[in-house]
Amino acid sequence: MVAGCAYCTAGHTVFARAKGMTDAMYRELLAIVGMAAETNRFAQALRVPFEPDLRG
């Protein structure tokens, strides 16, 4: 979805529906993907630096 590939989005949607994804789950997925895409664009526009590796 983020890459804008309609073929991939349609294919993955069909597979997810076959595994039981409901309309409510699909709407939530779209909201999450949209929010992530907007956040990424915002971070790129502000040139937010990467966080340091906090694993130790």
Side-chain angles (χ1 to χ4, degrees):
M1 287 179 190
V2 173
C5 178
Y7 179 82
C8 292
T9 299
H12 287 291
T13 300
V14 168
F15 295 135
R17 295 260 188 209
K19 292 288 186 180
M21 181 176 68
T22 64
D23 287 341
M25 294 165 93
Y26 184 66
R27 286 191 300 273
E28 185 173 359
L29 174 64
L30 291 178
I32 291 168
V33 169
M35 183 175 32
E38 289 299 318
T39 302
N40 287 342
R41 281 194 282 276
F42 187 62
Q44 287 176 337
L46 294 177
R47 299 188 184 272
V48 175
F50 288 107
E51 293 290 325
D53 187 353
L54 301 176
R55 291 178 285 178

mmCIF file of all heavy atoms in Angstrom:
data_model
loop_
_atom_site.group_PDB
_atom_site.id
_atom_site.type_symbol
_atom_site.label_atom_id
_atom_site.label_comp_id
_atom_site.label_asym_id
_atom_site.label_seq_id
_atom_site.Cartn_x
_atom_site.Cartn_y
_atom_site.Cartn_z
ATOM 1 N N MET A 1 0.822 -1.197 0.000
ATOM 2 C CA MET A 1 0.000 0.000 0.000
ATOM 3 C C MET A 1 0.859 1.251 0.000
ATOM 4 O O MET A 1 0.550 2.191 -0.715
ATOM 5 C CB MET A 1 -0.907 0.017 1.222
ATOM 6 C CG MET A 1 -2.039 -0.942 1.192
ATOM 7 S SD MET A 1 -2.980 -0.791 2.715
ATOM 8 C CE MET A 1 -4.001 -2.203 2.527
ATOM 9 N N VAL A 2 1.886 1.247 0.829
ATOM 10 C CA VAL A 2 2.732 2.427 0.947
ATOM 11 C C VAL A 2 3.427 2.717 -0.376
ATOM 12 O O VAL A 2 3.570 3.869 -0.776
ATOM 13 C CB VAL A 2 3.760 2.256 2.087
ATOM 14 C CG1 VAL A 2 4.749 3.396 2.110
ATOM 15 C CG2 VAL A 2 3.045 2.159 3.427
ATOM 16 N N ALA A 3 3.844 1.672 -1.087
ATOM 17 C CA ALA A 3 4.525 1.848 -2.366
ATOM 18 C C ALA A 3 3.558 2.227 -3.484
ATOM 19 O O ALA A 3 3.979 2.636 -4.554
ATOM 20 C CB ALA A 3 5.281 0.576 -2.733
ATOM 21 N N GLY A 4 2.271 2.075 -3.242
ATOM 22 C CA GLY A 4 1.274 2.449 -4.229
ATOM 23 C C GLY A 4 1.038 1.413 -5.313
ATOM 24 O O GLY A 4 0.529 1.751 -6.377
ATOM 25 N N CYS A 5 1.383 0.169 -5.063
ATOM 26 C CA CYS A 5 1.199 -0.889 -6.053
ATOM 27 C C CYS A 5 -0.202 -1.482 -5.901
ATOM 28 O O CYS A 5 -0.469 -2.245 -4.970
ATOM 29 C CB CYS A 5 2.267 -1.971 -5.884
ATOM 30 S SG CYS A 5 2.064 -3.336 -7.043
ATOM 31 N N ALA A 6 -1.084 -1.133 -6.813
ATOM 32 C CA ALA A 6 -2.470 -1.603 -6.737
ATOM 33 C C ALA A 6 -2.559 -3.120 -6.857
ATOM 34 O O ALA A 6 -3.381 -3.752 -6.189
ATOM 35 C CB ALA A 6 -3.307 -0.933 -7.829
ATOM 36 N N TYR A 7 -1.721 -3.714 -7.699
ATOM 37 C CA TYR A 7 -1.733 -5.168 -7.879
ATOM 38 C C TYR A 7 -1.377 -5.869 -6.571
ATOM 39 O O TYR A 7 -2.067 -6.803 -6.150
ATOM 40 C CB TYR A 7 -0.748 -5.554 -8.987
ATOM 41 C CG TYR A 7 -0.680 -7.045 -9.232
ATOM 42 C CD1 TYR A 7 -1.627 -7.681 -10.027
ATOM 43 C CD2 TYR A 7 0.327 -7.816 -8.659
ATOM 44 C CE1 TYR A 7 -1.576 -9.050 -10.257
ATOM 45 C CE2 TYR A 7 0.396 -9.180 -8.886
ATOM 46 C CZ TYR A 7 -0.559 -9.792 -9.683
ATOM 47 O OH TYR A 7 -0.494 -11.145 -9.896
ATOM 48 N N CYS A 8 -0.306 -5.431 -5.921
ATOM 49 C CA CYS A 8 0.120 -6.052 -4.658
ATOM 50 C C CYS A 8 -0.924 -5.836 -3.564
ATOM 51 O O CYS A 8 -1.228 -6.755 -2.804
ATOM 52 C CB CYS A 8 1.469 -5.487 -4.217
ATOM 53 S SG CYS A 8 2.826 -5.959 -5.308
ATOM 54 N N THR A 9 -1.455 -4.634 -3.479
ATOM 55 C CA THR A 9 -2.472 -4.343 -2.470
ATOM 56 C C THR A 9 -3.688 -5.237 -2.666
ATOM 57 O O THR A 9 -4.199 -5.822 -1.704
ATOM 58 C CB THR A 9 -2.889 -2.867 -2.530
ATOM 59 O OG1 THR A 9 -1.736 -2.057 -2.267
ATOM 60 C CG2 THR A 9 -3.959 -2.544 -1.503
ATOM 61 N N ALA A 10 -4.151 -5.374 -3.900
ATOM 62 C CA ALA A 10 -5.313 -6.224 -4.172
ATOM 63 C C ALA A 10 -5.015 -7.682 -3.843
ATOM 64 O O ALA A 10 -5.835 -8.362 -3.223
ATOM 65 C CB ALA A 10 -5.727 -6.087 -5.639
ATOM 66 N N GLY A 11 -3.839 -8.144 -4.224
ATOM 67 C CA GLY A 11 -3.475 -9.541 -3.950
ATOM 68 C C GLY A 11 -3.398 -9.838 -2.473
ATOM 69 O O GLY A 11 -3.958 -10.834 -1.993
ATOM 70 N N HIS A 12 -2.727 -8.984 -1.725
ATOM 71 C CA HIS A 12 -2.599 -9.205 -0.288
ATOM 72 C C HIS A 12 -3.960 -9.083 0.406
ATOM 73 O O HIS A 12 -4.228 -9.782 1.385
ATOM 74 C CB HIS A 12 -1.593 -8.243 0.327
ATOM 75 C CG HIS A 12 -0.174 -8.578 -0.009
ATOM 76 N ND1 HIS A 12 0.459 -9.700 0.489
ATOM 77 C CD2 HIS A 12 0.733 -7.954 -0.796
ATOM 78 C CE1 HIS A 12 1.682 -9.741 0.024
ATOM 79 N NE2 HIS A 12 1.886 -8.701 -0.774
ATOM 80 N N THR A 13 -4.820 -8.208 -0.104
ATOM 81 C CA THR A 13 -6.160 -8.066 0.465
ATOM 82 C C THR A 13 -6.958 -9.355 0.271
ATOM 83 O O THR A 13 -7.612 -9.840 1.204
ATOM 84 C CB THR A 13 -6.897 -6.872 -0.164
ATOM 85 O OG1 THR A 13 -6.153 -5.680 0.103
ATOM 86 C CG2 THR A 13 -8.299 -6.732 0.402
ATOM 87 N N VAL A 14 -6.889 -9.927 -0.916
ATOM 88 C CA VAL A 14 -7.595 -11.189 -1.190
ATOM 89 C C VAL A 14 -7.096 -12.287 -0.255
ATOM 90 O O VAL A 14 -7.886 -13.029 0.338
ATOM 91 C CB VAL A 14 -7.422 -11.605 -2.670
ATOM 92 C CG1 VAL A 14 -7.889 -13.040 -2.898
ATOM 93 C CG2 VAL A 14 -8.182 -10.650 -3.569
ATOM 94 N N PHE A 15 -5.779 -12.398 -0.095
ATOM 95 C CA PHE A 15 -5.217 -13.425 0.785
ATOM 96 C C PHE A 15 -5.644 -13.205 2.236
ATOM 97 O O PHE A 15 -5.990 -14.142 2.947
ATOM 98 C CB PHE A 15 -3.696 -13.459 0.690
ATOM 99 C CG PHE A 15 -3.183 -13.866 -0.662
ATOM 100 C CD1 PHE A 15 -2.156 -13.172 -1.262
ATOM 101 C CD2 PHE A 15 -3.731 -14.947 -1.345
ATOM 102 C CE1 PHE A 15 -1.674 -13.543 -2.515
ATOM 103 C CE2 PHE A 15 -3.263 -15.325 -2.585
ATOM 104 C CZ PHE A 15 -2.225 -14.623 -3.187
ATOM 105 N N ALA A 16 -5.619 -11.945 2.687
ATOM 106 C CA ALA A 16 -6.007 -11.646 4.066
ATOM 107 C C ALA A 16 -7.480 -11.946 4.298
ATOM 108 O O ALA A 16 -7.860 -12.476 5.345
ATOM 109 C CB ALA A 16 -5.690 -10.192 4.398
ATOM 110 N N ARG A 17 -8.316 -11.612 3.321
ATOM 111 C CA ARG A 17 -9.755 -11.913 3.435
ATOM 112 C C ARG A 17 -9.966 -13.422 3.534
ATOM 113 O O ARG A 17 -10.800 -13.898 4.301
ATOM 114 C CB ARG A 17 -10.516 -11.357 2.248
ATOM 115 C CG ARG A 17 -10.495 -9.854 2.181
ATOM 116 C CD ARG A 17 -11.754 -9.293 2.710
ATOM 117 N NE ARG A 17 -11.812 -7.852 2.469
ATOM 118 C CZ ARG A 17 -12.471 -7.040 3.245
ATOM 119 N NH1 ARG A 17 -13.126 -7.510 4.289
ATOM 120 N NH2 ARG A 17 -12.485 -5.754 3.003
ATOM 121 N N ALA A 18 -9.205 -14.184 2.757
ATOM 122 C CA ALA A 18 -9.328 -15.642 2.792
ATOM 123 C C ALA A 18 -8.918 -16.198 4.150
ATOM 124 O O ALA A 18 -9.395 -17.258 4.563
ATOM 125 C CB ALA A 18 -8.473 -16.265 1.688
ATOM 126 N N LYS A 19 -8.041 -15.473 4.868
ATOM 127 C CA LYS A 19 -7.602 -15.905 6.204
ATOM 128 C C LYS A 19 -8.502 -15.356 7.303
ATOM 129 O O LYS A 19 -8.256 -15.555 8.480
ATOM 130 C CB LYS A 19 -6.159 -15.453 6.458
ATOM 131 C CG LYS A 19 -5.141 -16.139 5.593
ATOM 132 C CD LYS A 19 -4.980 -17.568 6.047
ATOM 133 C CE LYS A 19 -3.849 -18.246 5.302
ATOM 134 N NZ LYS A 19 -3.674 -19.618 5.712
ATOM 135 N N GLY A 20 -9.563 -14.600 6.916
ATOM 136 C CA GLY A 20 -10.535 -14.150 7.902
ATOM 137 C C GLY A 20 -10.545 -12.668 8.229
ATOM 138 O O GLY A 20 -11.205 -12.254 9.173
ATOM 139 N N MET A 21 -9.825 -11.851 7.469
ATOM 140 C CA MET A 21 -9.822 -10.414 7.756
ATOM 141 C C MET A 21 -11.218 -9.843 7.510
ATOM 142 O O MET A 21 -11.802 -10.026 6.445
ATOM 143 C CB MET A 21 -8.811 -9.680 6.874
ATOM 144 C CG MET A 21 -8.752 -8.186 7.161
ATOM 145 S SD MET A 21 -7.494 -7.302 6.231
ATOM 146 C CE MET A 21 -8.137 -7.418 4.583
ATOM 147 N N THR A 22 -11.753 -9.159 8.504
ATOM 148 C CA THR A 22 -13.082 -8.559 8.413
ATOM 149 C C THR A 22 -12.987 -7.147 7.836
ATOM 150 O O THR A 22 -11.895 -6.580 7.698
ATOM 151 C CB THR A 22 -13.734 -8.473 9.798
ATOM 152 O OG1 THR A 22 -12.951 -7.577 10.605
ATOM 153 C CG2 THR A 22 -13.822 -9.838 10.471
ATOM 154 N N ASP A 23 -14.144 -6.555 7.525
ATOM 155 C CA ASP A 23 -14.157 -5.171 7.045
ATOM 156 C C ASP A 23 -13.578 -4.224 8.086
ATOM 157 O O ASP A 23 -12.852 -3.291 7.748
ATOM 158 C CB ASP A 23 -15.582 -4.734 6.694
ATOM 159 C CG ASP A 23 -16.100 -5.368 5.417
ATOM 160 O OD1 ASP A 23 -15.283 -5.851 4.604
ATOM 161 O OD2 ASP A 23 -17.336 -5.377 5.229
ATOM 162 N N ALA A 24 -13.890 -4.459 9.359
ATOM 163 C CA ALA A 24 -13.360 -3.610 10.427
ATOM 164 C C ALA A 24 -11.835 -3.725 10.506
ATOM 165 O O ALA A 24 -11.134 -2.713 10.688
ATOM 166 C CB ALA A 24 -13.982 -3.985 11.766
ATOM 167 N N MET A 25 -11.319 -4.927 10.364
ATOM 168 C CA MET A 25 -9.865 -5.124 10.394
ATOM 169 C C MET A 25 -9.208 -4.424 9.202
ATOM 170 O O MET A 25 -8.146 -3.826 9.340
ATOM 171 C CB MET A 25 -9.535 -6.615 10.367
ATOM 172 C CG MET A 25 -9.976 -7.355 11.615
ATOM 173 S SD MET A 25 -9.970 -9.130 11.352
ATOM 174 C CE MET A 25 -8.356 -9.540 11.940
ATOM 175 N N TYR A 26 -9.854 -4.491 8.040
ATOM 176 C CA TYR A 26 -9.316 -3.847 6.847
ATOM 177 C C TYR A 26 -9.275 -2.331 7.021
ATOM 178 O O TYR A 26 -8.276 -1.691 6.695
ATOM 179 C CB TYR A 26 -10.156 -4.235 5.628
ATOM 180 C CG TYR A 26 -9.621 -3.690 4.326
ATOM 181 C CD1 TYR A 26 -8.402 -4.127 3.818
ATOM 182 C CD2 TYR A 26 -10.329 -2.745 3.603
ATOM 183 C CE1 TYR A 26 -7.909 -3.648 2.622
ATOM 184 C CE2 TYR A 26 -9.839 -2.256 2.405
ATOM 185 C CZ TYR A 26 -8.631 -2.707 1.920
ATOM 186 O OH TYR A 26 -8.148 -2.210 0.740
ATOM 187 N N ARG A 27 -10.344 -1.760 7.563
ATOM 188 C CA ARG A 27 -10.363 -0.314 7.805
ATOM 189 C C ARG A 27 -9.265 0.088 8.780
ATOM 190 O O ARG A 27 -8.598 1.120 8.592
ATOM 191 C CB ARG A 27 -11.735 0.117 8.323
ATOM 192 C CG ARG A 27 -12.809 0.126 7.244
ATOM 193 C CD ARG A 27 -14.083 0.797 7.720
ATOM 194 N NE ARG A 27 -14.678 0.137 8.876
ATOM 195 C CZ ARG A 27 -15.523 -0.873 8.819
ATOM 196 N NH1 ARG A 27 -15.915 -1.347 7.654
ATOM 197 N NH2 ARG A 27 -16.022 -1.402 9.918
ATOM 198 N N GLU A 28 -9.059 -0.704 9.828
ATOM 199 C CA GLU A 28 -8.005 -0.407 10.785
ATOM 200 C C GLU A 28 -6.629 -0.497 10.125
ATOM 201 O O GLU A 28 -5.762 0.348 10.353
ATOM 202 C CB GLU A 28 -8.074 -1.347 11.979
ATOM 203 C CG GLU A 28 -7.066 -0.997 13.053
ATOM 204 C CD GLU A 28 -7.228 -1.827 14.317
ATOM 205 O OE1 GLU A 28 -8.139 -2.664 14.385
ATOM 206 O OE2 GLU A 28 -6.431 -1.622 15.237
ATOM 207 N N LEU A 29 -6.429 -1.500 9.286
ATOM 208 C CA LEU A 29 -5.168 -1.639 8.561
ATOM 209 C C LEU A 29 -4.907 -0.417 7.685
ATOM 210 O O LEU A 29 -3.801 0.132 7.686
ATOM 211 C CB LEU A 29 -5.188 -2.908 7.708
ATOM 212 C CG LEU A 29 -3.992 -3.113 6.780
ATOM 213 C CD1 LEU A 29 -2.714 -3.292 7.585
ATOM 214 C CD2 LEU A 29 -4.234 -4.292 5.866
ATOM 215 N N LEU A 30 -5.924 0.029 6.956
ATOM 216 C CA LEU A 30 -5.767 1.214 6.111
ATOM 217 C C LEU A 30 -5.408 2.438 6.942
ATOM 218 O O LEU A 30 -4.566 3.258 6.539
ATOM 219 C CB LEU A 30 -7.039 1.481 5.316
ATOM 220 C CG LEU A 30 -7.387 0.480 4.228
ATOM 221 C CD1 LEU A 30 -8.702 0.870 3.555
ATOM 222 C CD2 LEU A 30 -6.275 0.359 3.210
ATOM 223 N N ALA A 31 -6.026 2.588 8.095
ATOM 224 C CA ALA A 31 -5.730 3.729 8.967
ATOM 225 C C ALA A 31 -4.287 3.680 9.454
ATOM 226 O O ALA A 31 -3.588 4.708 9.475
ATOM 227 C CB ALA A 31 -6.697 3.749 10.149
ATOM 228 N N ILE A 32 -3.810 2.501 9.838
ATOM 229 C CA ILE A 32 -2.448 2.355 10.334
ATOM 230 C C ILE A 32 -1.432 2.625 9.230
ATOM 231 O O ILE A 32 -0.457 3.355 9.433
ATOM 232 C CB ILE A 32 -2.237 0.953 10.952
ATOM 233 C CG1 ILE A 32 -3.047 0.837 12.237
ATOM 234 C CG2 ILE A 32 -0.756 0.679 11.207
ATOM 235 C CD1 ILE A 32 -3.155 -0.579 12.777
ATOM 236 N N VAL A 33 -1.671 2.055 8.054
ATOM 237 C CA VAL A 33 -0.753 2.269 6.931
ATOM 238 C C VAL A 33 -0.723 3.745 6.548
ATOM 239 O O VAL A 33 0.341 4.317 6.307
ATOM 240 C CB VAL A 33 -1.148 1.387 5.723
ATOM 241 C CG1 VAL A 33 -0.381 1.787 4.471
ATOM 242 C CG2 VAL A 33 -0.908 -0.074 6.044
ATOM 243 N N GLY A 34 -1.886 4.377 6.513
ATOM 244 C CA GLY A 34 -1.948 5.802 6.186
ATOM 245 C C GLY A 34 -1.215 6.658 7.198
ATOM 246 O O GLY A 34 -0.488 7.590 6.839
ATOM 247 N N MET A 35 -1.392 6.347 8.478
ATOM 248 C CA MET A 35 -0.717 7.110 9.526
ATOM 249 C C MET A 35 0.795 6.923 9.441
ATOM 250 O O MET A 35 1.554 7.886 9.569
ATOM 251 C CB MET A 35 -1.221 6.686 10.904
ATOM 252 C CG MET A 35 -0.605 7.492 12.024
ATOM 253 S SD MET A 35 -1.258 7.161 13.694
ATOM 254 C CE MET A 35 -1.703 5.470 13.671
ATOM 255 N N ALA A 36 1.244 5.693 9.190
ATOM 256 C CA ALA A 36 2.678 5.435 9.074
ATOM 257 C C ALA A 36 3.266 6.188 7.887
ATOM 258 O O ALA A 36 4.354 6.773 7.985
ATOM 259 C CB ALA A 36 2.931 3.935 8.941
ATOM 260 N N ALA A 37 2.552 6.207 6.768
ATOM 261 C CA ALA A 37 3.033 6.908 5.583
ATOM 262 C C ALA A 37 3.145 8.408 5.848
ATOM 263 O O ALA A 37 4.133 9.047 5.464
ATOM 264 C CB ALA A 37 2.107 6.632 4.394
ATOM 265 N N GLU A 38 2.142 8.974 6.502
ATOM 266 C CA GLU A 38 2.182 10.405 6.828
ATOM 267 C C GLU A 38 3.312 10.728 7.800
ATOM 268 O O GLU A 38 4.005 11.727 7.654
ATOM 269 C CB GLU A 38 0.842 10.862 7.405
ATOM 270 C CG GLU A 38 -0.262 10.915 6.394
ATOM 271 C CD GLU A 38 0.015 11.888 5.258
ATOM 272 O OE1 GLU A 38 0.522 13.002 5.513
ATOM 273 O OE2 GLU A 38 -0.256 11.519 4.110
ATOM 274 N N THR A 39 3.498 9.877 8.796
ATOM 275 C CA THR A 39 4.573 10.084 9.760
ATOM 276 C C THR A 39 5.935 10.043 9.070
ATOM 277 O O THR A 39 6.811 10.869 9.360
ATOM 278 C CB THR A 39 4.505 9.025 10.882
ATOM 279 O OG1 THR A 39 3.229 9.126 11.514
ATOM 280 C CG2 THR A 39 5.590 9.223 11.912
ATOM 281 N N ASN A 40 6.108 9.097 8.152
ATOM 282 C CA ASN A 40 7.368 9.012 7.418
ATOM 283 C C ASN A 40 7.616 10.261 6.588
ATOM 284 O O ASN A 40 8.739 10.792 6.565
ATOM 285 C CB ASN A 40 7.386 7.779 6.517
ATOM 286 C CG ASN A 40 7.540 6.495 7.293
ATOM 287 O OD1 ASN A 40 7.951 6.510 8.441
ATOM 288 N ND2 ASN A 40 7.193 5.387 6.671
ATOM 289 N N ARG A 41 6.597 10.756 5.904
ATOM 290 C CA ARG A 41 6.754 11.982 5.101
ATOM 291 C C ARG A 41 7.092 13.172 5.997
ATOM 292 O O ARG A 41 7.925 14.011 5.653
ATOM 293 C CB ARG A 41 5.496 12.255 4.290
ATOM 294 C CG ARG A 41 5.397 11.412 3.040
ATOM 295 C CD ARG A 41 4.330 11.929 2.098
ATOM 296 N NE ARG A 41 2.994 11.561 2.521
ATOM 297 C CZ ARG A 41 2.407 10.402 2.245
ATOM 298 N NH1 ARG A 41 3.047 9.488 1.566
ATOM 299 N NH2 ARG A 41 1.199 10.150 2.655
ATOM 300 N N PHE A 42 6.448 13.254 7.136
ATOM 301 C CA PHE A 42 6.704 14.349 8.078
ATOM 302 C C PHE A 42 8.144 14.289 8.588
ATOM 303 O O PHE A 42 8.845 15.294 8.619
ATOM 304 C CB PHE A 42 5.707 14.249 9.242
ATOM 305 C CG PHE A 42 5.742 15.402 10.187
ATOM 306 C CD1 PHE A 42 5.439 16.676 9.760
ATOM 307 C CD2 PHE A 42 6.068 15.202 11.517
ATOM 308 C CE1 PHE A 42 5.470 17.757 10.643
ATOM 309 C CE2 PHE A 42 6.101 16.267 12.408
ATOM 310 C CZ PHE A 42 5.798 17.548 11.966
ATOM 311 N N ALA A 43 8.605 13.102 8.959
ATOM 312 C CA ALA A 43 9.978 12.945 9.450
ATOM 313 C C ALA A 43 10.989 13.281 8.366
ATOM 314 O O ALA A 43 12.024 13.913 8.646
ATOM 315 C CB ALA A 43 10.200 11.515 9.952
ATOM 316 N N GLN A 44 10.704 12.891 7.132
ATOM 317 C CA GLN A 44 11.609 13.215 6.035
ATOM 318 C C GLN A 44 11.655 14.717 5.793
ATOM 319 O O GLN A 44 12.725 15.283 5.562
ATOM 320 C CB GLN A 44 11.197 12.494 4.757
ATOM 321 C CG GLN A 44 11.502 11.021 4.790
ATOM 322 C CD GLN A 44 11.006 10.307 3.549
ATOM 323 O OE1 GLN A 44 10.090 10.776 2.868
ATOM 324 N NE2 GLN A 44 11.615 9.175 3.247
ATOM 325 N N ALA A 45 10.509 15.365 5.842
ATOM 326 C CA ALA A 45 10.450 16.807 5.609
ATOM 327 C C ALA A 45 11.228 17.574 6.673
ATOM 328 O O ALA A 45 11.892 18.571 6.375
ATOM 329 C CB ALA A 45 9.000 17.278 5.576
ATOM 330 N N LEU A 46 11.165 17.095 7.906
ATOM 331 C CA LEU A 46 11.877 17.760 9.006
ATOM 332 C C LEU A 46 13.317 17.294 9.154
ATOM 333 O O LEU A 46 14.049 17.814 9.993
ATOM 334 C CB LEU A 46 11.134 17.520 10.327
ATOM 335 C CG LEU A 46 9.759 18.154 10.439
ATOM 336 C CD1 LEU A 46 9.116 17.774 11.761
ATOM 337 C CD2 LEU A 46 9.837 19.660 10.300
ATOM 338 N N ARG A 47 13.697 16.297 8.341
ATOM 339 C CA ARG A 47 15.041 15.710 8.410
ATOM 340 C C ARG A 47 15.369 15.250 9.834
ATOM 341 O O ARG A 47 16.418 15.576 10.394
ATOM 342 C CB ARG A 47 16.089 16.669 7.889
ATOM 343 C CG ARG A 47 15.890 17.043 6.441
ATOM 344 C CD ARG A 47 17.058 17.829 5.915
ATOM 345 N NE ARG A 47 16.844 18.265 4.563
ATOM 346 C CZ ARG A 47 17.156 17.549 3.481
ATOM 347 N NH1 ARG A 47 17.679 16.363 3.613
ATOM 348 N NH2 ARG A 47 16.930 18.028 2.282
ATOM 349 N N VAL A 48 14.430 14.508 10.408
ATOM 350 C CA VAL A 48 14.601 13.989 11.764
ATOM 351 C C VAL A 48 15.734 12.964 11.746
ATOM 352 O O VAL A 48 15.722 12.038 10.934
ATOM 353 C CB VAL A 48 13.295 13.325 12.267
ATOM 354 C CG1 VAL A 48 13.498 12.680 13.628
ATOM 355 C CG2 VAL A 48 12.180 14.357 12.318
ATOM 356 N N PRO A 49 16.736 13.121 12.635
ATOM 357 C CA PRO A 49 17.851 12.166 12.638
ATOM 358 C C PRO A 49 17.407 10.810 13.173
ATOM 359 O O PRO A 49 16.451 10.707 13.944
ATOM 360 C CB PRO A 49 18.859 12.809 13.566
ATOM 361 C CG PRO A 49 18.069 13.693 14.455
ATOM 362 C CD PRO A 49 16.892 14.159 13.640
ATOM 363 N N PHE A 50 18.125 9.767 12.753
ATOM 364 C CA PHE A 50 17.838 8.432 13.263
ATOM 365 C C PHE A 50 18.195 8.367 14.735
ATOM 366 O O PHE A 50 19.133 9.010 15.200
ATOM 367 C CB PHE A 50 18.660 7.381 12.514
ATOM 368 C CG PHE A 50 18.184 7.161 11.112
ATOM 369 C CD1 PHE A 50 18.906 7.634 10.044
ATOM 370 C CD2 PHE A 50 17.005 6.467 10.879
ATOM 371 C CE1 PHE A 50 18.482 7.420 8.753
ATOM 372 C CE2 PHE A 50 16.560 6.254 9.585
ATOM 373 C CZ PHE A 50 17.298 6.738 8.516
ATOM 374 N N GLU A 51 17.438 7.576 15.462
ATOM 375 C CA GLU A 51 17.734 7.355 16.888
ATOM 376 C C GLU A 51 18.976 6.485 17.000
ATOM 377 O O GLU A 51 19.196 5.601 16.180
ATOM 378 C CB GLU A 51 16.558 6.669 17.577
ATOM 379 C CG GLU A 51 15.309 7.532 17.667
ATOM 380 C CD GLU A 51 15.461 8.680 18.635
ATOM 381 O OE1 GLU A 51 16.140 8.516 19.666
ATOM 382 O OE2 GLU A 51 14.904 9.749 18.359
ATOM 383 N N PRO A 52 19.772 6.701 18.036
ATOM 384 C CA PRO A 52 20.918 5.810 18.240
ATOM 385 C C PRO A 52 20.446 4.405 18.587
ATOM 386 O O PRO A 52 19.316 4.221 19.061
ATOM 387 C CB PRO A 52 21.649 6.448 19.417
ATOM 388 C CG PRO A 52 20.630 7.259 20.111
ATOM 389 C CD PRO A 52 19.647 7.724 19.063
ATOM 390 N N ASP A 53 21.282 3.439 18.354
ATOM 391 C CA ASP A 53 20.953 2.059 18.680
ATOM 392 C C ASP A 53 20.918 1.914 20.207
ATOM 393 O O ASP A 53 21.938 2.063 20.873
ATOM 394 C CB ASP A 53 21.985 1.114 18.076
ATOM 395 C CG ASP A 53 21.593 -0.349 18.235
ATOM 396 O OD1 ASP A 53 20.604 -0.641 18.922
ATOM 397 O OD2 ASP A 53 22.286 -1.186 17.646
ATOM 398 N N LEU A 54 19.744 1.652 20.733
ATOM 399 C CA LEU A 54 19.557 1.605 22.192
ATOM 400 C C LEU A 54 19.629 0.183 22.751
ATOM 401 O O LEU A 54 19.342 -0.034 23.916
ATOM 402 C CB LEU A 54 18.219 2.244 22.560
ATOM 403 C CG LEU A 54 18.043 3.701 22.138
ATOM 404 C CD1 LEU A 54 16.634 4.177 22.481
ATOM 405 C CD2 LEU A 54 19.080 4.582 22.793
ATOM 406 N N ARG A 55 20.001 -0.773 21.900
ATOM 407 C CA ARG A 55 20.036 -2.155 22.363
ATOM 408 C C ARG A 55 21.238 -2.447 23.262
ATOM 409 O O ARG A 55 21.322 -3.510 23.853
ATOM 410 C CB ARG A 55 20.062 -3.107 21.178
ATOM 411 C CG ARG A 55 18.749 -3.104 20.407
ATOM 412 C CD ARG A 55 18.816 -3.996 19.224
ATOM 413 N NE ARG A 55 19.621 -3.321 18.203
ATOM 414 C CZ ARG A 55 19.940 -3.835 17.024
ATOM 415 N NH1 ARG A 55 19.537 -5.044 16.717
ATOM 416 N NH2 ARG A 55 20.642 -3.158 16.166
ATOM 417 N N GLY A 56 22.144 -1.549 23.380
ATOM 418 C CA GLY A 56 23.260 -1.795 24.284
ATOM 419 C C GLY A 56 24.526 -1.703 23.643
ATOM 420 O O GLY A 56 25.528 -1.790 23.431
#
